[in-house]
Amino acid sequence: MDWYTTLWKTRFMTGSIPQALLLTAVRGTGEVEFALRIARSRLCHTPMDSGDGCGSCEDCRWFKAGTHPDFRRLDPALDNPGSDPNGDEDPRSNEREARKPKVQIPIDDVRDVSEFLRLSSYRGGARVVLIHPAQAMTAAASNALLKVLEEPPDGSFFILVSSQPSRLPATVRSRCTELALPKPPRADASAWLRSATTAVNPDLALAQVGGAPYAAAELGDSYWAIRSILTPFLCGRDQNWSGISTVFTEADLPHVLQILQTWCWDLMSARFRGEVRYHPDLSRDIAEAAPRMDGLQLAEFARRLSENRRLLGHPLNARLLLEDLLISYKRLMRTHERV
């Protein structure tokens, strides 16, 4: 993560961090890894001159193993197969796609953190709580956290990480020092992705997620398989929506929605600005399809996709939702075929 080196030197090299820090960033740019770096440096009793944890003391070994007694991490993704408590999972592993992930942080998790902070520090130093993604907290969980932030115990530190800070209550944000993390330069992101994964086309993978290298590394084989099935329909070459909808399962729904969202963005961008961002390998098909669509109807369809994406943690009939979305998209194509 060389793209955060300057930021680290200017803000965290001294080892001092705010008691409540809110890191905002595009999802998958290395924001969680950066937050873990901060937490590790704060818990290490013999940090290096750079401010980083030494990596060899007992604290650092515990932290790497995910067993440090003075560290708590709230992250729904940790309940998924293949996840690692320190964010050091192999990006080439597709095990995280095995089942539908949790998407919310409930109040009970925050209450457990409150109980943890009432105890004395096991190591006689700091106690660190990392919450990611912070916007995944329920309203009740956010309120419970606010009570702790208003009167934080001595020696406690909170690191909140969010790609959607606007979804956090203003009261919680006001108790935090907010720091926006920049996206990495495209060359750095591409170089990291080539070294970290076996992706056949790293540049296309980066394009799919808007240049976020960690998010690109998480695109597993199932994502590319879904894309290869879905894009002919989106291009208008295969309009058999019923046949396509039967292929996908509930576990595929997040990928389908992601592809539909990025595809719609490219359609609107191609229509009004002549630019394709997420699917450059299909820019010609997008340029041909865009003029056949009504701009307002396309924008409304994109809004529906965003709403459905936010409902992924709720009970949904995936088959019916997919059929409805594909039928709606086909109508947008302005073909003379009957749906």
Side-chain angles (χ1 to χ4, degrees):
M1 284 198 306
D2 293 339
W3 51 89
Y4 288 149
T5 298
T6 300
L7 181 62
W8 179 269
K9 289 180 178 179
T10 56
R11 298 296 298 267
F12 301 102
M13 195 167 176
T14 62
S16 175
I17 67 171
Q19 192 161 26
L21 177 65
L22 171 60
L23 299 177
T24 64
V26 174
R27 189 191 74 82
T29 53
E31 71 282 7
V32 177
E33 291 70 21
F34 191 72
L36 288 166
R37 182 181 180 182
I38 297 171
R40 182 166 49 241
S41 71
R42 197 66 190 81
L43 291 168
C44 177
H45 278 65
T46 56
M48 299 186 293
D49 292 340
S50 65
D52 283 296
C54 67
S56 58
C57 70
E58 192 171 36
D59 290 283
C60 288
R61 291 197 299 270
W62 279 345
F63 190 88
K64 182 174 178 59
T67 58
H68 198 292
D70 291 327
F71 177 66
R72 292 293 184 275
R73 179 175 174 184
L74 305 186
D75 190 334
L78 295 185
D79 290 334
N80 299 334
S83 62
D84 181 277
N86 282 318
D88 296 326
E89 64 268 8
D90 183 351
R92 289 168 289 191
S93 173
N94 295 328
E95 291 183 0
R96 73 187 65 192
E97 299 181 275
R99 61 183 172 92
K100 187 177 180 179
K102 283 177 57 180
V103 295
Q104 290 188 318
I105 297 174
I107 187 174
D108 287 344
D109 288 0
V110 178
R111 285 173 174 167
D112 288 345
V113 164
S114 298
E115 292 298 322
F116 155 70
L117 293 175
R118 288 193 182 100
L119 304 175
S120 299
S121 169
Y122 183 86
R123 296 286 290 167
R127 286 164 296 169
V128 180
V129 177
L130 171 59
I131 303 177
H132 168 264
Q135 72 272 9
M137 289 187 291
T138 64
S142 295
N143 289 333
L145 177 65
L146 178 61
K147 293 179 181 179
V148 183
L149 293 178
E150 288 174 340
E151 296 183 13
D154 292 339
S156 63
F157 293 88
F158 296 85
I159 306 174
L160 281 65
V161 184
S162 177
S163 61
Q164 298 175 296
S166 62
R167 292 178 56 189
L168 284 171
T171 48
V172 171
R173 293 181 66 176
S174 68
R175 298 299 191 281
C176 301
T177 299
E178 193 166 333
L179 178 62
L181 302 181
K183 283 179 62 175
R186 190 59 174 250
D188 291 348
S190 180
W192 180 88
L193 189 60
R194 291 176 189 277
S195 66
T197 72
T198 56
V200 176
N201 191 334
D203 291 330
L204 180 59
L206 280 172
Q208 298 292 290
V209 292
Y214 281 80
E218 292 172 358
L219 296 177
D221 293 339
S222 66
Y223 173 87
W224 296 107
I226 291 168
R227 184 176 183 268
S228 67
I229 296 170
L230 192 56
T231 50
F233 171 82
L234 299 177
C235 291
R237 292 193 295 268
D238 180 2
Q239 289 289 279
N240 181 18
W241 62 266
S242 59
I244 294 174
S245 65
T246 60
V247 174
F248 302 133
T249 66
E250 184 178 4
D252 298 327
L253 189 56
H255 287 329
V256 173
L257 288 173
Q258 178 181 343
I259 293 168
L260 286 173
Q261 280 190 298
T262 54
W263 187 266
C264 285
W265 191 96
D266 277 348
L267 283 171
M268 290 187 286
S269 179
R271 181 181 177 87
F272 298 110
R273 296 193 296 178
E275 175 187 352
V276 172
R277 175 183 180 184
Y278 294 102
H279 302 275
D281 58 324
L282 297 170
S283 57
R284 179 176 297 179
D285 296 288
I286 291 171
E288 291 177 355
R292 293 188 287 174
M293 297 191 177
D294 180 270
L296 292 177
Q297 292 179 7
L298 182 59
E300 174 61 20
F301 182 66
R303 185 191 64 79
R304 284 181 54 202
L305 291 173
S306 296
E307 290 180 351
N308 288 324
R309 192 95 181 258
R310 287 195 293 268
L311 293 174
L312 283 177
H314 300 273
L316 293 172
N317 187 317
R319 173 70 181 279
L320 291 179
L321 175 59
L322 284 169
E323 289 183 355
D324 179 59
L325 291 175
L326 296 180
I327 291 173
S328 298
Y329 181 83
K330 184 175 179 181
R331 287 173 178 154
L332 286 175
M333 292 292 290
R334 287 183 174 175
T335 66
H336 295 293
E337 300 177 31
R338 296 186 61 185
V339 178

